[in-house]
Amino acid sequence: MKEKMKQSFFKSLRFRIMVLLVIIGILPCLIIEKVIVNSYENRAVEWKKMNVKNQCDILGNQLMKEGYLEYQQSEVINGELSILSTVYNGRILIINRSGRIIKDTYDIDEGKYMLSEEVIQCFEGVDTSYYDESNDYIEQTVSLKDGKSKQIDGVMLVSISTGEIRDSIEILEHRGNLLMLAISILVLVLGYLLSKSLVKPFTRVSKAIEELTDGYLDEEISVLDYSETQMLSSVFNKMLKRMKVLDDSRQEFVANVSHELKTPMTSIKVLADSLVGQEEVPVELYKEFMQDIAVEIDRENKIITDLLALVKMDKKASDLNIEKVNINELMESILKRLKPIADKKKVELVLETYRPIVAEVDEVKLSLALSNLVENGIKYNVEDGWVHVTLNADHKYFYVTVADSGVGIPKDSIDKIFERFYRVDKSHSREIGGTGLGLAITRNAIAMHRGAVKVKSEEQKGTTFSVRIPLNYIA
Ligand SMILES: Nc1ncnc2c1ncn2[C@@H]1O[C@H](COP(=O)(O)OP(=O)(O)O)[C@@H](O)[C@H]1O
Ligand SMILES: [Mg+2]
């Protein structure tokens, strides 16, 4: 049991609660961290770009005033250029109209030509600025305009490192991660405790149920912590009640069965004993008693046969053997089989069919159900009475009614006649060979076909059973 519980932890409510808490607790923090870092980076880069641009503009103006593009002798400008490149940890290139690099603060590329896209764009009047995130630098072009003609005579190409922004971000991220770790641990611990306490009532329910299953007879469970567990408790108690009813009826059934099976046995025993106890019994008496014994054996046999039929009907609907069956023919053969009994009781059997009917049914079980009804109509009838059977159908169902002119059923018995072993008049019913199982079999067989059976009766006038069964079997 414990082992099973461990295996299914990932499917458990507790696991889900914890996952939920982790998602609500940690995900927003992660997102916030990312947003903060990103916006910091953007702002820092923008700020730096603006700063550099300003510095370069000032320097550019100064540079043009001094005619630096023609002669690069100005100590002041050269000094400022090198200060600027040192301060910003970057490199400054000055490119003249023909694309030649006339000044490189790194002194590497002087004299070479540089006509990159940015430079050309800048000559066309568009200052560009580009941030290379992965290599940590900003590249910026600033046009050098002639003071009077406003013509672009050169370009200042500045690339500066953004390493310090990266460093700050890393520090920020590191702190963020530490905070996240702390929050995660907190959430996990809280989640663990919370999920444990949230799930506790459910554990209590299953524990209560487990305790009950040992001796469930007269107790009830009640776990009132949540309305959900209250509901569970009440549903379970309802089921328990139903189980108790079932258990009672099962016990009653077993008691009834034993009693019914014992009755013929007792008679046989009495008959046999009385023969054995007497000396020199006349042959006629032997014969008479033996006949009585044979009758009792027949009766025992009938009870057992009915019981077996009933047990079969109690099983699942999957045991049905569904076929397309001609109901008219089925009914005719039932009546034919019962004709001799009817004749003996001088009861008239009439079949009235309104249309041909073919339905998906289990022929054996349905036949048993219907012949029980007709047989009852004959058995519980009066001399010169009648049993009237009708067959009809619509697009969905077929209908069978079995009406008789018999003794009828008392009002207070009508709800009980479908119960197992119930007979209105025990001694009379026994006399005519009833076991009290027939209608139970009938009702179960009809229910297996998803049908319904109803009864109307008036004492001393007669009884009518109406059966309704779907034409197409509903699985
Ligand atoms: N058509 C009927 N007319 C009068 N009573 C009936 C009729 N059908 C059934 N009953 C009553 O219902 C009881 C139960 O019927 P059933 O289960 O078939 O048992 P059984 O026929 O073996 O006695 C019968 O004992 C009888 O009292
Ligand atoms: Mg019967």
Side-chain angles (χ1 to χ4, degrees):
M1 189 76 179
K2 275 263 159 64
E3 206 55 39
K4 242 193 218 159
M5 279 181 181
K6 254 181 206 154
Q7 275 173 9
S8 60
F9 177 72
F10 292 108
K11 278 189 167 178
S12 68
L13 187 59
R14 282 191 64 188
F15 178 69
R16 273 157 212 215
I17 292 174
M18 276 178 73
V19 169
L20 196 71
L21 279 176
V22 166
I23 291 174
I24 330 179
I26 297 177
L27 214 59
C29 292
L30 267 173
I31 294 171
I32 289 170
E33 190 192 336
K34 265 269 160 303
V35 169
I36 289 177
V37 166
N38 254 337
S39 70
Y40 166 77
E41 187 176 3
N42 287 342
R43 273 190 69 91
V45 168
E46 282 311 313
W47 190 79
K48 186 138 195 173
K49 275 183 188 168
M50 219 172 68
N51 242 343
V52 172
K53 172 104 167 101
N54 279 341
Q55 298 279 348
C56 289
D57 280 343
I58 294 168
L59 192 63
N61 282 338
Q62 216 174 338
L63 205 136
M64 291 305 283
K65 258 186 215 151
E66 302 254 343
Y68 190 84
L69 288 180
E70 271 78 54
Y71 328 94
Q72 292 78 41
Q73 309 307 344
S74 170
E75 284 298 318
V76 183
I77 304 283
N78 280 337
E80 282 201 37
L81 279 173
S82 76
I83 289 171
L84 198 62
S85 68
T86 321
V87 167
Y88 285 116
N89 188 15
R91 179 184 190 182
I92 304 173
L93 301 176
I94 311 276
I95 298 155
N96 71 7
R97 188 84 204 129
S98 52
R100 202 161 69 89
I101 298 168
I102 56 170
K103 173 71 184 172
D104 176 1
T105 52
Y106 279 17
D107 293 330
I108 301 169
D109 289 332
E110 259 166 41
K112 291 185 184 161
Y113 283 87
M114 165 75 148
L115 277 169
S116 66
E117 208 175 305
E118 289 84 12
V119 172
I120 291 169
Q121 262 184 20
C122 190
F123 271 121
E124 284 165 358
V126 186
D127 286 3
T128 64
S129 148
Y130 165 73
Y131 171 47
D132 186 331
E133 207 172 331
S134 47
N135 295 314
D136 288 331
Y137 71 91
I138 297 173
E139 195 177 77
Q140 194 142 18
T141 57
V142 179
S143 52
L144 300 172
K145 289 182 189 140
D146 185 84
K148 288 183 200 122
S149 65
K150 297 288 172 204
Q151 192 195 324
I152 298 167
D153 285 337
V155 168
M156 191 189 276
L157 180 68
V158 192
S159 43
I160 52 168
S161 153
T162 52
E164 86 283 355
I165 296 179
R166 171 71 36 221
D167 291 346
S168 312
I169 287 174
E170 261 159 31
I171 292 170
L172 206 63
E173 274 177 345
H174 181 68
R175 283 198 194 148
N177 286 344
L178 279 182
L179 196 68
M180 284 294 302
L181 190 72
I183 291 176
S184 304
I185 292 172
L186 200 72
V187 165
L188 277 177
V189 170
L190 271 179
Y192 178 80
L193 296 176
L194 193 67
S195 67
K196 199 168 171 171
S197 84
L198 280 179
V199 167
K200 211 172 203 163
F202 291 101
T203 324
R204 254 207 294 272
V205 170
S206 66
K207 214 164 142 198
I209 292 177
E210 209 158 325
E211 278 168 10
L212 271 193
T213 39
D214 300 332
Y216 64 79
L217 282 177
D218 289 318
E219 284 160 74
E220 286 199 337
I221 67 165
S222 98
V223 180
L224 306 176
D225 306 51
Y226 301 147
S227 51
E228 283 85 355
T229 55
Q230 255 176 48
M231 211 161 69
L232 258 181
S233 303
S234 94
V235 170
F236 179 77
N237 288 336
K238 234 186 241 166
M239 195 192 77
L240 210 64
K241 255 186 216 140
R242 170 127 186 80
M243 262 166 66
K244 257 182 259 170
V245 170
L246 279 180
D247 193 57
D248 288 349
S249 98
R250 189 183 54 89
Q251 274 180 14
E252 195 190 288
F253 180 60
V254 171
N256 282 339
V257 168
S258 320
H259 177 75
E260 296 295 330
L261 290 179
K262 264 185 101 167
T263 316
M265 290 295 215
T266 316
S267 306
I268 292 170
K269 171 87 171 137
V270 170
L271 289 166
D273 275 353
S274 64
L275 282 184
V276 172
Q278 288 179 51
E279 267 171 45
E280 289 183 29
V281 188
V283 181
E284 289 75 40
L285 201 65
Y286 252 114
K287 263 201 181 144
E288 198 191 321
F289 277 30
M290 276 311 189
Q291 269 165 6
D292 290 349
I293 287 178
V295 167
E296 293 300 331
I297 289 175
D298 281 346
R299 184 170 165 70
E300 183 90 26
N301 218 344
K302 178 146 175 48
I303 297 172
I304 291 172
T305 313
D306 278 3
L307 268 176
L308 285 178
L310 188 65
V311 168
K312 260 193 209 152
M313 304 287 178
D314 269 345
K315 282 207 204 140
K316 298 268 152 358
S318 58
D319 294 331
L320 281 180
N321 176 21
I322 300 291
E323 284 168 333
K324 275 201 183 307
V325 175
N326 183 323
I327 303 296
N328 307 65
E329 282 172 14
L330 178 84
M331 207 67 224
E332 273 160 30
S333 76
I334 289 173
L335 292 194
K336 203 170 153 194
R337 197 148 27 84
L338 293 174
K339 186 105 193 355
I341 314 176
D343 286 346
K344 211 158 123 198
K345 277 209 70 168
K346 297 209 174 70
V347 170
E348 188 192 8
L349 272 184
V350 184
L351 173 62
E352 196 175 345
T353 57
Y354 291 94
R355 65 194 73 234
I357 301 165
V358 175
E360 293 170 3
V361 295
D362 181 319
E363 185 165 7
V364 177
K365 294 198 170 77
L366 186 69
S367 163
L368 195 58
L370 295 178
S371 65
N372 271 334
L373 293 181
V374 182
E375 192 186 327
N376 280 351
I378 299 168
K379 279 196 313 190
Y380 302 104
N381 216 317
V382 291
E383 202 154 305
D384 295 322
W386 45 261
V387 175
H388 197 149
V389 181
T390 70
L391 267 184
N392 204 348
D394 55 24
H395 62 289
K396 241 178 142 182
Y397 299 99
F398 70 90
Y399 304 88
V400 185
T401 64
V402 180
D404 65 54
S405 60
V407 295
I409 303 164
K411 274 210 166 50
D412 53 342
S413 293
I414 206 130
D415 290 333
K416 299 187 192 141
I417 52 170
F418 290 101
E419 283 170 23
R420 297 169 297 199
F421 294 116
Y422 184 83
R423 280 156 293 182
V424 174
D425 179 349
K426 287 232 175 218
S427 57
H428 178 63
S429 176
R430 193 177 136 78
E431 222 170 83
I432 48 182
T435 60
L437 292 171
L439 285 180
I441 293 172
T442 298
R443 191 187 54 178
N444 282 5
I446 290 171
M448 281 174 101
H449 287 88
R450 313 270 182 259
V453 53
K454 274 192 266 177
V455 56
K456 267 200 195 128
S457 184
E458 205 173 322
E459 268 185 284
Q460 308 309 331
K461 281 233 170 111
T463 308
T464 304
F465 284 92
S466 320
V467 177
R468 187 194 72 187
I469 292 174
L471 288 170
N472 297 308
Y473 177 67
I474 307 158

